[in-house]
Amino acid sequence: MNLSALQVLQHRLPQAHPRVALVLGSGWGGAVAALLDPVRVPYAELPGFPVPSVQGHASDLVWGRLGPHEVVVLTGRKHTYETGDAAAMKLPLRTLREWGCEVLVQTNAAGSLRADIPPGSLMVLSDHLNLPQRSPLVGEPGNDRFVSMLDAYDPALRAQALAAAQACGSSLHEGVYAWFLGPQFETPAEIRMAQRLGADAVGMSTVPETIIARHLGLKVLALSLITNMGAGLSAETLSHAHTLAQANAAGERASRVLTAVLENLSW
Ligand code: HPA
């Protein structure tokens, strides 16, 4: 008998009723340690879950309790740049929706476009620019494919995140995230373009998952850990190793803020 990912999860965790889904990006992994009674299920045991190929990105689903919530964590995501498929995370997110999740909290590492948001900063997304103009909804049938992207990042959840960060003594910026397909980093000219278009940070993830989540009816909150200035804005040369090193350096604070944000979510 071929079980679906949802059936596997319901079999492994018959008592679980998670309402919050969390996707971890580079640097945010420490939040998993805050979960009580964690249960880990490798993606390889969940039919249709894509195993990421990027170093520094794990590939387990972890269920656990955090404050008043049951949270289900995707410790890694498949990026569009890995295969060209913007819908790579559709099945995992649909599975979590069907399992009962109502909120998707996303995290990522990003490059800053603003001198007043230096490396090590945290930013909550207020909006995004889908610069590649790729959609995970291409091929979806029905009129519900025409998803409104107004308030794609839920204003009430953003306000709660800002309050929770302040309560734990960490500043949290708010800004617009521009999605670049990658995997190459941006050119300095592309960084100047993104600045002129109104972006505050750039990255290679998150936007496809936000679109999928809005289509599924999930509320979305997204947080960036700034690991570097955008290309050409500082003297440093960008590399994946640099991103991971910076993400690890700031990761403890990021995870502490994330834990506080999750504990205080209500919707
Ligand atoms: N550009 C794109 N993605 C990133 C960056 C960047 O500068 N830093 C971390 N992820």
Side-chain angles (χ1 to χ4, degrees):
M1 186 172 61
N2 288 333
L3 295 181
S4 68
L6 180 63
Q7 288 169 322
V8 172
L9 290 167
Q10 288 172 330
H11 180 72
R12 287 282 297 271
L13 289 150
Q15 310 298 336
H17 296 289
R19 292 171 66 214
V20 179
L22 170 64
V23 176
L24 294 179
S26 304
W28 296 88
V32 172
L35 293 178
L36 289 180
D37 310 324
V39 176
R40 191 173 283 267
V41 184
Y43 289 178
E45 294 176 19
L46 296 168
F49 271 52
V51 178
S53 62
V54 187
Q55 186 213 340
H57 289 268
S59 55
D60 291 310
L61 177 150
V62 186
W63 171 93
R65 300 178 196 282
L66 198 60
H69 303 301
E70 285 181 37
V71 180
V72 55
V73 185
L74 301 180
T75 61
R77 55 157 70 82
K78 190 95 176 167
H79 299 79
T80 304
Y81 63 70
E82 293 178 62
T83 62
D85 180 10
M89 293 302 289
K90 192 185 280 186
L91 184 141
L93 292 176
R94 193 182 334 120
T95 300
L96 299 191
R97 178 63 169 151
E98 288 170 355
W99 203 13
C101 288
E102 296 166 357
V103 171
L104 173 66
V105 179
Q106 296 210 62
T107 59
N108 61 43
S112 173
L113 303 184
R114 283 177 35 189
D116 62 333
I117 308 185
S121 302
L122 302 177
M123 185 183 99
V124 60
L125 274 62
S126 57
D127 205 344
H128 72 224
L129 291 172
N130 179 351
L131 293 182
Q133 279 295 294
R134 301 281 298 271
S135 175
L137 303 184
V138 170
E140 282 289 332
N143 283 344
D144 69 355
R145 77 183 105 176
F146 301 109
V147 179
S148 168
M149 294 302 288
L150 197 65
D151 289 336
Y153 300 92
D154 189 79
L157 296 182
R158 278 154 51 196
Q160 290 169 24
L162 290 165
Q166 193 174 30
C168 60
S170 176
S171 66
L172 180 60
H173 299 271
E174 194 165 17
V176 174
Y177 175 95
W179 176 35
F180 280 82
L181 179 61
Q184 76 286 352
F185 284 103
E186 300 73 32
T187 64
E190 287 166 342
I191 290 295
R192 290 193 298 275
M193 174 189 76
Q195 286 176 316
R196 289 186 183 186
L197 293 178
D200 301 294
V202 292
M204 304 178 196
S205 69
T206 306
V207 168
E209 293 93 333
T210 295
I211 297 169
I212 294 165
R214 295 306 298 142
H215 184 235
L216 291 168
L218 291 157
K219 292 178 189 280
V220 179
L221 176 70
L223 300 167
S224 291
L225 167 54
I226 302 297
T227 53
N228 56 279
M229 297 306 295
L233 298 182
S234 80
E236 66 197 2
T237 304
L238 301 183
S239 67
H240 188 56
H242 177 86
T243 298
L244 291 182
Q246 292 297 315
N248 288 337
E252 199 208 322
R253 188 167 40 84
S255 297
R256 193 161 40 80
V257 171
L258 175 59
T259 303
V261 168
L262 290 168
E263 283 173 346
N264 289 288
L265 282 187
S266 69
W267 62 96

